Amino acid sequence: MKRKTGMPAPPPPRKELSDNPIKLCNEIGRLFRTRMRETDSSDGVMSQPGARLVLSVLAVYDGIHQLELVRQTHLRPPSVSVILKKMEDEGIVERRSDSEDRRAVRVYLTEKGRCLDAQTIHKIQELDARAMKGLTEEEKAVLMALLPKIRNNLLDDRQGEEEKLQ
């Protein structure tokens, strides 16, 4: 159920998690996604979780194999397949057989996809400026030094789990 303000409900206060940086990062992420959706009038695929990430990876690695797209996004293969199918239906991407390996599929952004990526980057930059308002350059530098370490710790854990499953 959507709240009248359009903002996600805050998590309930829990004493045992009150000073948890991951909880705060999660809340910031939820607020960021909500603000991004507020500026996006589309009800299509771009409103789905993971779609902006897929778009962003394709903007950098246009023409990559679908399996590599899964690796780059850290999304599950079925999720990427569903997102790509919807993106293809909306004219954002096109999939083509690899000329060297007909079994492999490469994914390319269309002109519409490149325009959508440019619009998304502009929205992100505006929202980033809003979020970082009032922080000094030193505070921004400290934040940018710490957050990747936290992200990498969590990615390392996931890679270990994937290796156990193989």
Side-chain angles (χ1 to χ4, degrees), residues 10-73:
R14 304 225 14 214
K15 184 179 178 184
E16 64 270 26
L17 297 175
S18 63
D19 292 329
N20 184 320
I22 299 301
K23 178 183 166 211
L24 186 56
C25 287
N26 185 42
E27 188 173 355
I28 291 167
R30 288 175 53 237
L31 291 168
F32 176 82
R33 288 186 298 278
T34 299
R35 293 287 187 213
M36 286 295 290
R37 281 192 299 272
E38 286 175 354
T39 63
D40 190 4
S41 59
S42 121
D43 289 328
V45 66
M46 297 313 292
S47 65
Q48 287 193 314
R52 290 188 194 283
L53 178 59
V54 168
L55 179 71
S56 182
V57 169
L58 287 172
V60 174
Y61 302 108
D62 197 29
I64 67 171
H65 288 110
Q66 189 167 326
L67 184 58
E68 182 60 21
L69 184 58
V70 169
R71 287 187 194 114
Q72 290 287 329
T73 60

Side-chain angles (χ1 to χ4, degrees), residues 96-155:
R96 298 183 221 147
S97 294
D98 187 314
S99 60
E100 296 175 15
D101 180 359
R102 291 288 194 205
R103 297 169 297 167
V105 174
R106 291 189 175 271
V107 185
Y108 298 86
L109 283 179
T110 62
E111 187 59 35
K112 179 179 179 180
R114 282 187 280 282
C115 289
L116 185 58
D117 178 62
Q119 292 169 357
T120 299
I121 287 173
H122 181 71
K123 289 177 192 176
I124 289 170
Q125 289 170 334
E126 285 180 340
L127 192 51
D128 185 58
R130 181 176 177 187
M132 302 298 268
K133 185 174 66 178
L135 272 63
T136 66
E137 291 304 314
E138 183 179 312
E139 289 169 329
K140 290 176 189 178
V142 169
L143 185 62
M144 290 308 297
L146 295 175
L147 290 176
K149 290 179 181 181
I150 294 169
R151 179 202 55 215
N152 292 341
N153 288 340
L154 294 173
L155 285 174

